[in-house]
Amino acid sequence: MSAEAWPDHLIGLDEWDAMPEDKNLELVDGVLHVVAAAAPLHQKAQSRLDNWLDEQLPGSLISYQDVDVVIDSSNRPTVRKPDVVVVTAEAADRNPKRFTAEDVVLAVEIVSPGSERVDRVTKPMQYAKAGIAHYWLVELGDPISLTAFELVDGIYKLVEDGVGEVRLTRPAPLAFDLDALTRRR
């Protein structure tokens, strides 16, 4: 999208859907926000985590990377693109252009330089308000860490966290070697 074509008005979901699918954008309260392309280390962690989830989740749950999720469908909509999401198999079988928050069981954000506040504060508040049951925050520091939250009475509560080898119980029994998230092989 060129600078000349940048909209000077609030965007609705119909106009959002008419945009190219490979857009590096999110929609927040009807306003387009550019999402910086992920660095290679972030991309490696994102891909590997999605693969691990795909291998371990029960058949009733499916994982995806970089898909649109409608957080708010009002006249000032919000569409986020979590790094990884887990949705119900029923939602996946519909093969929608975008998922709704009701379809999403887990949203995962991998913190990147420049996205810290959005990933740690803004997105969890929006995801909680939308009713997404589980939220994970992955930090690619030294050591790599994963913090798992569960929605309780409209607020995310810390339920599990760890570094290195982690075993999680929510949204399904899962085990990961976080140190391997960014290894070359």
Side-chain angles (χ1 to χ4, degrees):
M1 178 178 290
S2 69
E4 298 84 38
W6 197 260
D8 62 353
H9 58 279
L10 296 177
I11 302 296
L13 288 177
D14 289 340
E15 193 171 352
W16 175 261
D17 284 343
M19 292 179 166
E21 287 183 22
D22 63 347
K23 56 193 172 285
N24 254 12
L25 300 169
E26 290 182 326
L27 188 63
V28 181
D29 293 326
V31 178
L32 291 177
H33 286 245
V34 175
V35 178
L41 200 62
H42 181 285
Q43 289 178 12
K44 174 63 77 183
Q46 180 180 1
S47 176
R48 198 160 272 155
L49 181 60
D50 179 50
N51 288 335
W52 291 346
L53 284 165
D54 194 45
E55 292 169 355
Q56 296 182 50
L57 286 169
S60 60
L61 298 173
I62 311 294
S63 67
Y64 292 95
Q65 307 179 53
D66 284 326
V67 294
D68 289 349
V69 177
V70 178
I71 302 301
D72 178 355
S73 61
S74 69
N75 63 339
R76 292 180 56 155
T78 295
V79 179
R80 290 293 191 177
K81 193 177 294 211
D83 290 315
V84 177
V85 295
V86 172
V87 300
T88 64
E90 294 84 4
D93 288 345
R94 289 195 319 267
N95 193 29
K97 184 172 182 118
R98 52 185 156 79
F99 290 107
T100 65
E102 293 80 24
D103 298 329
V104 178
V105 175
L106 166 67
V108 180
E109 295 294 349
I110 300 169
V111 178
S112 296
S115 75
E116 296 96 339
R117 181 169 177 75
V118 171
D119 290 343
R120 293 183 187 133
V121 179
T122 306
K123 286 184 176 182
M125 287 179 10
Q126 290 173 335
Y127 295 164
K129 185 177 179 185
I132 295 173
H134 301 275
Y135 179 67
W136 291 357
L137 194 61
V138 176
E139 304 266 357
L140 296 180
D142 186 18
I144 297 171
S145 66
L146 185 149
T147 308
F149 300 91
E150 185 171 50
L151 194 60
V152 178
D153 297 326
I155 298 171
Y156 283 125
K157 301 288 185 186
L158 173 70
V159 290
E160 299 173 301
D161 64 349
V163 298
E165 297 274 342
V166 294
R167 296 198 174 283
L168 305 166
T169 59
R170 299 168 174 107
L174 301 162
F176 306 119
D177 176 5
L178 294 176
D179 295 330
L181 266 180
T182 56
R183 280 192 201 131
R184 281 186 246 154
R185 298 236 181 243

